[in-house]
Amino acid sequence: QVQVVESGGGLVQPGGSLRLSCAASGSRFSIYVMGWYRQAPGKQREWVAYITSGGTTNYADSVKGRFTISRDNAKKTVYLQMNSLKPEDTAVYYCNTYPSRAINGDYWGQGTQVTVSS
């Protein structure tokens, strides 16, 4: 299992930027594909991006070109750089394995709130 603690969320204006961090635990962290997910009020949780152990990335169409996922295996940390933020990006953001259930089953951290508003 990979346990995570998300941080870096906050209130930002449309067009602004924010960087989220995910501090992970687990001795085998470096071999897992890690992803970011988000859940807006009243909506289902959705996948945002993933990064493989080797650094290959992929993104949901809604964030492609605006968000960048990265990882530092030595620090067991995953990042999500969010640029050109839109109100539609408002959600609680979570970090987890990708796919989440493959390694972590039903586990989710507390997430970090991102609010994009004027």
Side-chain angles (χ1 to χ4, degrees):
Q1 187 183 66
V2 178
Q3 297 184 61
V4 298
V5 178
E6 300 95 341
S7 63
L11 175 64
V12 64
Q13 295 187 9
S17 297
L18 211 57
R19 188 183 72 160
L20 307 183
S21 296
C22 169
S25 64
S27 61
R28 302 182 71 186
F29 165 81
S30 63
I31 75 171
Y32 298 129
V33 180
M34 298 296 297
W36 283 96
Y37 306 78
R38 66 187 183 185
Q39 185 171 26
K43 294 187 176 182
Q44 298 295 114
R45 182 180 284 119
E46 64 177 344
W47 166 74
V48 173
Y50 73 67
I51 183 166
T52 70
S53 60
T56 299
T57 60
N58 203 3
Y59 302 89
D61 288 341
S62 59
V63 307
K64 195 171 298 181
R66 300 188 297 121
F67 290 10
T68 302
I69 188 172
S70 61
R71 70 192 295 166
D72 185 332
N73 287 336
K75 296 181 179 179
K76 295 183 179 180
T77 302
V78 184
Y79 305 96
L80 186 68
Q81 178 66 47
M82 305 184 294
N83 299 324
S84 301
L85 283 162
K86 305 174 181 179
E88 307 93 90
D89 296 318
T90 296
V92 177
Y93 283 71
Y94 300 90
C95 177
N96 211 337
T97 55
Y98 179 86
S100 59
R101 294 186 70 90
I103 304 298
N104 275 353
D106 292 330
Y107 170 85
W108 292 94
Q110 292 299 116
T112 185
Q113 176 71 50
V114 172
T115 302
V116 185
S117 176
S118 298

